[in-house]
Amino acid sequence: MADIAVTTLRPDRAAVASQWQLIWWAFRRHKLAMVALIVTVMMYIVAIVPGFFAINDPNQQNARATFHPPQRVHLFDTDNGFSLGLHYYPLKLTRDPETLAPIFKEDTTKPVSISLFGRGYEYSVLGLFTSNIHLLASSDKSTPLLLFGADRLGRDVFSRTVQGSQISLSIGLVGVFFSLLLGIVLGGVSGYYGGKLDFFIQRLIDFVLSLPTIPIWLAMAAALPQGWPAALQYMMITIILSLTGWAQLARVVRGRFLSLRTEEFVAAARLDGASEGRIIFRHMLPSFASHIIASITLAVPAMILAETSLSFLGLGLQPPTISWGVLLREAQNIRSIATAPWLFLPGVAVVIAVMALNLLGDGLRDAADPYNK
């Protein structure tokens, strides 16, 4: 009876859990990291289909809305009889009689309703099909809703910020992918084989790490022809960012391979006749995949900041390509700062994205070794 009682007891969850389950349980206890995960997922959902979340065509110019200030969305309309529903009031432009400064005031006599999942301009969904359904749509196209105001050409800053997330967030992922590929291949070869090959690769890493990153970025970006199409510019900026970002990861991978190549499971796989490729990719890499994921998450915001900096300085992506760095170029002069401070709002999106990804990376790094909890 005692033996039956022992065998029917439910084993401890931690004793039978996989490494990924332990990492997830440890990660869930990190509250800030969980919030950052939610924010990051929401940002990348927006980046996948920015046209759905945009309200107006991000490239459409409107001479009557030059430096138009942001508009507020209301739920209750008490000025025209009580009504409930999302709406906004068009802004009437007047001027100060003494300074002639523009003054915008809501015209509460003409509420414009906002519909959920309404129809607007057509946009492409991942290049697969087109749609005109938007999360928010104005019922009056002649007085567009400008949540973040408009720039010097009357273009909707909110829609352009949403559209810019596709380039700025994806360039971080693509750049880190190339850096990861170089880092794992060169770091893995260096740590696994050692000898003269290890010495050569380590000197190459030392050379790359000794280069001043920002001047190198500037020099390589300035060498790109200005007349290249947007897709080619995007690809080349991504390659430039990845070429200087792989060295640190390669050094980490090399250290892990040096410590793992003498482990018993590696020797057992080698004696079992496994090929070197299988030993590296099937046995060694998965043993520290969590650390690689944490490193990737921390590297993505650095790539986003690098692209934003290059585009802000005019050496990265060029108009009509829309990215957060390109949008921030509109706020480079004193007039913009004085008359249209809302042009800095794309910078708020950069701050939120970088903070969320950094907090997510911190949580993954802390949870990557759950056995030490």
Side-chain angles (χ1 to χ4, degrees), residues 246-261:
W246 63 271
Q248 288 285 1
L249 180 61
R251 182 151 286 179
V252 172
V253 171
R254 178 219 181 221
R256 298 291 295 182
F257 267 77
L258 285 175
S259 63
L260 288 175
R261 68 180 184 177

Side-chain angles (χ1 to χ4, degrees), residues 10-140:
R10 184 173 180 272
D12 183 69
R13 292 176 68 195
V16 296
S18 66
Q19 182 183 4
W20 293 108
Q21 285 178 311
L22 293 174
I23 292 174
W24 171 242
W25 293 339
F27 180 78
R28 284 192 307 180
R29 293 196 296 268
H30 201 302
K31 302 302 180 185
L32 278 177
M34 285 297 296
V35 173
L37 175 63
I38 295 171
V39 173
T40 302
V41 169
M42 292 175 62
M43 287 191 305
Y44 276 99
I45 290 174
V46 172
I48 291 172
V49 282
F52 172 73
F53 296 94
I55 301 174
N56 306 297
D57 187 344
N59 293 311
Q60 183 177 1
Q61 301 179 12
N62 185 354
R64 295 182 298 174
T66 300
F67 290 126
H68 193 290
Q71 293 174 280
R72 294 183 299 169
V73 175
H74 302 268
L75 183 59
F76 302 100
D77 181 16
T78 57
D79 296 292
N80 303 281
F82 183 82
S83 62
L84 178 64
L86 291 176
H87 64 279
Y88 65 97
Y89 300 112
L91 297 183
K92 293 176 62 178
L93 172 62
T94 59
R95 291 194 177 273
D96 188 286
E98 297 181 0
T99 64
L100 299 180
I103 300 174
F104 290 89
K105 186 177 181 180
E106 287 185 339
D107 183 3
T108 57
T109 63
K110 299 178 181 179
V112 181
S113 62
I114 301 172
S115 57
L116 293 174
F117 306 105
R119 296 187 180 275
Y121 75 95
E122 282 197 352
Y123 58 91
S124 174
V125 180
L126 298 176
L128 302 176
F129 60 92
T130 59
S131 175
N132 62 356
I133 304 298
H134 299 265
L135 179 62
L136 298 176
S138 171
S139 60
D140 186 358

Side-chain angles (χ1 to χ4, degrees), residues 90-329:
L91 297 183
K92 293 176 62 178
L93 172 62
T94 59
R95 291 194 177 273
D96 188 286
E98 297 181 0
T99 64
L100 299 180
I103 300 174
F104 290 89
K105 186 177 181 180
E106 287 185 339
D107 183 3
T108 57
T109 63
K110 299 178 181 179
V112 181
S113 62
I114 301 172
S115 57
L116 293 174
F117 306 105
R119 296 187 180 275
Y121 75 95
E122 282 197 352
Y123 58 91
S124 174
V125 180
L126 298 176
L128 302 176
F129 60 92
T130 59
S131 175
N132 62 356
I133 304 298
H134 299 265
L135 179 62
L136 298 176
S138 171
S139 60
D140 186 358
K141 305 305 178 186
S142 63
T143 55
L145 172 61
L146 303 170
L147 289 179
F148 287 2
D151 62 10
R152 59 186 174 86
L153 297 177
R155 297 171 296 191
D156 183 8
V157 175
F158 173 79
S159 298
R160 288 173 67 79
T161 302
V162 170
Q163 186 68 40
S165 66
Q166 188 170 62
I167 294 291
S168 294
L169 292 177
S170 65
I171 206 168
L173 288 180
V174 177
V176 166
F177 171 77
F178 285 123
S179 295
L180 176 68
L181 190 62
L182 283 171
I184 287 181
V185 171
L186 294 179
V189 168
S190 177
Y192 186 79
Y193 292 102
K196 293 182 179 179
L197 188 58
D198 177 39
F199 177 82
F200 173 77
I201 293 176
Q202 290 310 302
R203 300 298 72 78
L204 177 62
I205 292 175
D206 290 337
F207 173 74
V208 172
L209 292 176
S210 67
L211 296 174
T213 307
I214 295 179
I216 292 298
W217 282 342
L218 295 178
M220 296 176 71
L224 298 180
Q226 297 296 319
W228 278 4
L232 191 55
Q233 285 184 11
Y234 174 86
M235 181 182 299
M236 292 307 299
I237 291 295
T238 304
I239 293 174
I240 288 171
L241 296 179
S242 6
L243 285 177
T244 57
W246 63 271
Q248 288 285 1
L249 180 61
R251 182 151 286 179
V252 172
V253 171
R254 178 219 181 221
R256 298 291 295 182
F257 267 77
L258 285 175
S259 63
L260 288 175
R261 68 180 184 177
T262 57
E263 293 289 336
E264 293 180 355
F265 72 91
V266 175
R270 190 177 290 113
L271 291 173
D272 196 42
S275 64
E276 292 183 339
R278 181 175 177 82
I279 293 173
I280 292 174
F281 294 103
R282 182 66 181 85
H283 298 284
M284 298 180 75
L285 274 179
S287 65
F288 62 98
S290 55
H291 295 275
I292 293 177
I293 292 173
S295 300
I296 291 172
T297 313
L298 292 171
V300 170
M303 292 282 183
I304 293 174
L305 284 175
E307 181 276 324
T308 302
S309 302
L310 288 175
S311 298
F312 176 77
L313 294 172
L315 297 171
L317 299 172
Q318 303 293 327
T321 306
I322 303 175
S323 74
W324 289 339
V326 172
L327 296 180
L328 285 173
R329 289 176 62 184

